[in-house]
Amino acid sequence: MTMKLKNYINGQWVETKNPEYIEVINPADGQPLWSVPSGSKKDILIAAEAAHKAWPEWRNTPAVKRISYLFKMKQILEDHTEEIAEICTKESGKTFAESKAEMVRALENIEVACGIPNLLQSDFSEDIATGVDEFSIRQPLGVGACIAPFNFPIMIPFWFMPYAIACGNTYIVKPSEKVPATMQRIFELFKDINLPAGVLNMVHGGKDTVDAILEHPFIPAISFVGSTNVARYIYQTGVSFGKRIQAQGGAKNPVVVMPDADIDTTVRIIADSAFGCAGQRCLAASIVFTVGDAGKLFTSKIVEAARVKKTGNGMNKETEMGPVISKESKERIEKLIQNGINEGARLLLDGRTINVQGGENGYFIGPTILGNVESESEIFKTEVFGPVLCIMNADTLEDAISLINKSRYGNSACIFTHSGAAARKFRHDVMAGNIGVNIGIAAPMAFFPFSGWKESFFGDLHGQTSHAVEFYTQTKVVIERWHEEWIRKF
Ligand code: NAD
């Protein structure tokens, strides 16, 4: 058995109460790396108890003091970026550069959360009646929790956690059991922050652990990121327990290429968007609609750009695309490609036959492109979450928008054009939460909410910035009367 990972509860590293472990495999070579607790309800009971106990003192700690810990957190992560990125690459398969880029997004969120003294400021109305003032204050909820997916082991917990603790909540992070060691190392490094015990906890595990979080009465607010079916389950179950839930789900992101787009730039950006992180990004481009006569040139150029992408072990400097996360994932993606072909799509580039030297036991699929995809086909409607790009022709921008708006997902949509009018129409009419104009990955900076519509999001308030602050606080409205005659005494 490989090294067993531990939970971090109440300022201590503790073993799980469940003796079962899951082996974490390096997707680049199929070799076991370490073992993660499969999780138990008991682990969450202990963590929630510790976080609940730490809460009163933490919420009474002034906001400016609370963010002093975040400043240290940022410094520690910056100082150890390479080391954390290496663990991330080993267990997730993404390239070293992609792992480091994740860290930048995590740091941005800590920086924004450091503005909490401002972000927590509320409204005050003087003299709503004679001698009567009314104001609102934002107060923390108690213990918050986040349940993370495998594809961004560093960044995603930071969409929520820094805001939650800066607002005065205590917190539990549940990393994905597929990539648990990255967050484990981050928590080891956090010992130098000297946060009071119980403020920040980490519990490993899978469904049992998640269900315990959903049920526990001390945890009133939960942030989730993962696939749509699980997001829906988290939302429905959490709400049935009377909790606040924000649950980000899956995606199938369309990109429109207009005839006036700068084709070379567009191809470069879309190739990065579709095949970066081996297509395992919730904002990855997955269907290109070429409008009018944009199709021929775009298609030939994107196939060439994809063909020369270097697929391999993410730790090799020259690698541009790593493996997918698991054997099951590789098999699922290959099956979806085959079904697409069976349903009439044209295979323009086949990544299933790729040979990666030294990666014979890894889970590699090369960039794959399917043309003439049908709007009723499985490959058109299903989130592939792999390096597969579909291309479809649309006669007009209206036709493309109409097909985009039929999708069950609404995470993001992008357009490539030189026309302000086309871009404006697209931005206005498309039913998606993140829009890109001449941008391949429309990922909001930390000072904007990470939006997402339709079945890509369940809830009301998103992650990051003011939405995260609102999610992790409740508003108290206070009305005060000070009679004229009492005031005149002074
Ligand atoms: P997943 O849904 O399998 O797992 C996410 C988390 O849920 C993990 O921590 C896992 O332990 C837990 N989980 C899994 N099955 C569960 C169940 N039945 N009951 C309770 N908990 C369960 O997702 P994944 O494969 O880790 O991540 C990929 C998915 O995440 C993709 O669909 C991707 O689009 C999505 N994603 C969305 C966003 C976004 O912002 N919308 C961002 C990143 C990833």
Side-chain angles (χ1 to χ4, degrees):
M1 174 68 85
T2 48
M3 179 186 68
K4 288 179 178 171
L5 301 185
K6 290 185 175 172
N7 294 328
Y8 185 78
I9 300 175
N10 207 23
Q12 306 282 332
W13 288 101
V14 291
E15 269 183 29
T16 171
K17 297 290 173 196
N18 177 356
E20 284 168 36
Y21 284 78
I22 306 163
E23 206 127 47
V24 178
I25 306 292
N26 183 339
D29 59 17
Q31 296 304 306
L33 289 166
W34 29 74
S35 305
V36 61
S38 68
S40 82
K41 192 171 178 170
K42 192 88 192 285
D43 294 337
I44 289 296
L45 293 183
I46 300 167
E49 192 75 46
H52 182 68
K53 212 165 141 225
W55 183 49
E57 200 175 322
W58 183 245
R59 69 165 288 205
N60 289 330
T61 304
V64 283
K65 167 88 175 139
R66 291 198 300 257
I67 61 166
S68 69
Y69 294 98
L70 292 187
F71 285 120
K72 286 191 229 161
M73 185 181 274
K74 176 179 181 290
Q75 191 61 53
I76 283 172
L77 293 180
E78 269 172 346
D79 292 346
H80 294 86
T81 295
E82 303 245 325
E83 179 196 346
I84 297 166
E86 189 173 333
I87 301 171
C88 178
T89 289
K90 272 192 189 150
E91 60 181 9
S92 74
K94 61 174 66 179
T95 68
F96 189 53
E98 286 167 346
S99 294
K100 284 199 286 186
E102 256 199 74
M103 181 65 86
V104 174
R105 286 296 172 135
L107 292 170
E108 259 176 29
N109 274 286
I110 301 174
E111 284 164 13
V112 175
C114 284
I116 216 74
N118 276 99
L119 289 165
L120 280 178
Q121 281 175 351
S122 299
D123 304 321
F124 191 106
S125 295
E126 196 176 38
D127 284 325
I128 53 160
T130 307
V132 181
D133 304 329
E134 183 164 345
F135 57 96
S136 64
I137 43 183
R138 292 204 158 276
Q139 296 194 330
L141 302 167
V143 183
C146 113
I147 300 158
F150 80 81
N151 64 328
F152 283 97
I154 305 171
M155 172 184 76
I156 285 179
F158 288 87
W159 287 350
F160 315 106
M161 177 267 279
Y163 303 98
I165 62 171
C167 288
N169 302 278
T170 53
Y171 213 71
I172 302 171
V173 175
K174 206 289 291 169
S176 163
E177 65 277 32
K178 292 175 190 158
V179 290
T182 305
M183 199 44 70
Q184 172 108 4
R185 183 62 192 137
I186 288 173
F187 268 70
E188 281 166 10
L189 294 166
F190 282 175
K191 77 173 186 316
D192 290 339
I193 301 173
N194 293 320
L195 267 167
V199 171
L200 198 47
N201 308 275
M202 183 193 56
V203 178
H204 291 297
K207 181 169 167 50
D208 287 351
T209 310
V210 172
D211 285 343
I213 292 172
L214 288 170
E215 288 164 19
H216 201 291
F218 287 167
I219 308 175
I222 301 166
S223 304
F224 170 88
V225 182
S227 53
T228 284
N229 287 347
V230 183
R232 185 189 287 105
Y233 167 76
I234 300 286
Y235 182 77
Q236 289 175 342
T237 314
V239 166
S240 75
F241 284 103
K243 304 194 176 202
R244 282 189 188 190
I245 306 289
Q246 45 182 200
Q248 301 186 207
K252 181 93 186 171
N253 304 303
V255 175
V256 170
V257 178
M258 297 297 287
D260 65 354
D262 170 346
I263 290 295
D264 286 335
T265 317
T266 302
V267 163
R268 181 174 49 76
I269 295 173
I270 294 181
D272 284 346
S273 171
F275 306 119
C277 296
Q280 299 168 115
R281 269 195 293 219
C282 66
L283 295 176
S286 44
I287 310 172
V288 175
F289 294 91
T290 51
V291 172
D293 57 12
K296 209 165 161 213
L297 185 59
F298 173 81
T299 303
S300 66
K301 291 207 171 199
I302 191 96
V303 169
E304 248 348 276
R307 195 194 305 280
V308 297
K309 281 235 173 262
K310 291 190 189 71
T311 304
N313 187 316
M315 285 311 293
N316 297 340
K317 274 204 179 72
E318 66 278 9
T319 297
E320 293 172 286
M321 196 179 95
V324 297
I325 188 69
S326 64
K327 185 165 174 280
E328 297 71 42
S329 194
K330 178 172 152 74
E331 287 167 1
R332 186 185 53 77
I333 295 164
E334 287 173 344
K335 191 164 170 234
L336 279 166
I337 296 170
Q338 190 54 50
N339 290 352
I341 299 164
N342 297 347
E343 284 186 286
R346 240 181 87 214
L347 184 62
L348 301 171
L349 184 66
D350 189 356
R352 295 171 298 174
T353 51
I354 193 161
N355 266 322
V356 172
Q357 228 186 353
E360 292 74 15
N361 297 319
Y363 314 131
F364 291 98
I365 304 180
T368 298
I369 302 185
L370 294 167
N372 294 356
V373 170
E374 280 295 324
S375 63
E376 287 308 313
S377 63
E378 182 191 28
I379 193 86
F380 181 85
K381 293 179 179 169
T382 310
E383 178 182 39
V384 178
F385 223 55
V388 179
L389 184 67
C390 296
I391 304 178
M392 178 174 193
N393 201 57
D395 290 340
T396 62
L397 176 58
E398 282 83 358
D399 291 347
I401 292 174
S402 148
L403 280 168
I404 289 169
N405 286 347
K406 283 190 185 136
S407 170
R408 62 190 281 228
Y409 299 110
N411 218 31
S412 102
C414 301
I415 185 168
F416 287 79
T417 183
H418 267 107
S419 158
R424 206 278 177 189
K425 178 176 177 56
F426 186 82
R427 159 164 68 82
H428 183 269
D429 291 358
V430 165
M431 304 292 285
N434 299 292
I435 300 292
V437 176
N438 298 320
I439 296 282
I441 299 279
M445 297 290 284
F447 36 86
F448 283 91
F450 193 106
S451 198
W453 286 13
K454 295 158 101 180
E455 293 188 36
S456 295
F457 180 72
F458 301 86
D460 305 287
L461 294 161
H462 297 89
Q464 302 196 149
T465 195
S466 54
H467 275 224
V469 173
E470 210 171 315
F471 184 78
Y472 279 108
T473 52
Q474 51 198 340
T475 308
K476 188 178 271 177
V477 176
V478 182
I479 308 177
E480 287 185 357
R481 183 195 305 278
W482 298 100
H483 282 293
E484 211 35 49
E485 57 271 26
W486 303 346
I487 293 167
R488 257 188 260 119
K489 288 187 198 153
F490 292 96

